[in-house]
Amino acid sequence: MRIDITGRHMEITPSLREYVERKINKVVKFLPTLRDARVIMYIEKVDHIVEAIISGNGVSFHSIEKANDMYSSVDQLVRKIEKQIVKYKEKHFEHKSIPPGEWKIEE
């Protein structure tokens, strides 16, 4: 997975970059077809804001989180994207349909 981490008007420390990469790579275990991740971090007044767009194989997940600390923003963001992925998988992959020829009509 290719992860692009950008800081708007701030410098990304190596420890923060490693933390984000580790957390984003955990998301891949939910949906292995994900290929690209863009993470944008910035600070507005007292809020530390993290925005992520994760995409691959025709699907894209987007989320924005803000908190008082950049690390907690990343944690909240990852939780939110995991929920989006789980909901997507339930909707598309775990739906078991019955082919029309096998319908049973009760009389």
Side-chain angles (χ1 to χ4, degrees), residues 30-67:
F30 289 103
L31 193 62
T33 59
L34 296 174
R35 304 215 193 284
D36 296 324
R38 265 199 88 172
V39 180
I40 302 166
M41 304 173 147
Y42 52 97
I43 300 172
E44 286 183 354
K45 296 186 181 180
V46 295
D47 292 328
H48 295 251
I49 302 170
V50 179
E51 179 178 352
I53 302 168
I54 300 176
S55 61
N57 203 16
V59 66
S60 169
F61 302 99
H62 179 261
S63 181
I64 299 174
E65 278 299 323
K66 59 173 92 170

Side-chain angles (χ1 to χ4, degrees), residues 1 10-11 17 24 27 31 35-37 41 56 61-62 68 70-72 76 81 86 89 91 95-96 101-103:
M1 172 178 236
M10 66 175 278
E11 188 174 329
R17 181 177 300 276
I24 295 294
V27 171
L31 193 62
R35 304 215 193 284
D36 296 324
M41 304 173 147
F61 302 99
H62 179 261
N68 293 331
M70 198 61 79
Y71 290 96
S72 59
Q76 292 173 6
I81 289 185
V86 167
K89 282 180 67 173
K91 193 173 184 181
H95 180 74
K96 297 178 182 173
E102 297 178 11
W103 288 353

Side-chain angles (χ1 to χ4, degrees), residues 3-25 39-43 47-51 65 67-78:
I3 302 172
D4 181 28
I5 302 171
T6 307
R8 281 192 201 153
H9 308 294
M10 66 175 278
E11 188 174 329
I12 306 294
T13 62
S15 62
L16 183 59
R17 181 177 300 276
E18 180 184 325
Y19 185 76
V20 170
E21 287 175 355
R22 188 173 62 234
K23 288 292 189 172
I24 295 294
N25 281 326
V39 180
I40 302 166
M41 304 173 147
Y42 52 97
I43 300 172
D47 292 328
H48 295 251
I49 302 170
V50 179
E51 179 178 352
E65 278 299 323
N68 293 331
D69 180 23
M70 198 61 79
Y71 290 96
S72 59
S73 314
V74 171
D75 289 339
Q76 292 173 6
L77 177 106
V78 167

